[in-house]
Amino acid sequence: MHIFCDESGGTDPANGIFLVSAAAVAHNDAKTLMRRFRKATGLGGEIKGHRLTPEQRRMFFGELQKIGTAVAVSTTCSRQNQLGGWAMAALDEADLRTQLVIESCAQLPIVGPTVGITVDGGRYKRQILDRLIPTTIGALNG
């Protein structure tokens, strides 16, 4: 299995929720999923979830559901509760994101070996990403 992670939102005061999703899927199944989705929607390049229409989201999750081995988990940090509000104000965004990635990955009911984790780089610098993956793998294996 391979784990793919992405985030939405952040700690900026304009964001009420910081969300990280992790999906575990066999590598070949991931390629098939994206090929089918791109063919059905005509989309190319990087797929930005926040830019998808409700119909495109339905199509994506419909294709994901067809893959029997795929599982996904989303973890949120919300300003609407005391702990989330504290975390979003007190922690560096990259550190909070790392914790949310770890929490999402740790909740995946994976059977068998995990061969890797791909975390979307997004707006983060390479040095932040270079510490995110080993930290996540260490937390999952430790």
Side-chain angles (χ1 to χ4, degrees), residues 83-101:
L83 181 58
W86 170 83
M88 290 176 85
L91 299 177
D92 175 73
E93 182 172 303
D95 292 334
L96 178 56
R97 179 182 186 236
T98 298
Q99 295 307 312
L100 292 172
V101 167

Side-chain angles (χ1 to χ4, degrees), residues 20-73:
V20 170
S21 295
V25 61
H27 191 58
N28 287 339
D29 289 341
K31 286 181 180 180
T32 299
L33 166 68
M34 293 310 296
R35 186 174 54 251
R36 287 180 185 165
F37 181 70
R38 289 177 194 284
K39 184 177 180 181
T41 61
L43 295 173
E46 182 180 356
I47 305 297
K48 298 281 191 181
H50 72 279
R51 292 185 184 153
L52 297 178
T53 66
E55 177 62 18
Q56 290 169 330
R57 286 189 183 115
R58 187 195 63 72
M59 291 169 62
F60 179 83
F61 286 107
E63 290 297 328
L64 183 63
Q65 187 176 6
K66 292 176 186 175
I67 299 173
T69 61
V71 292
V73 172

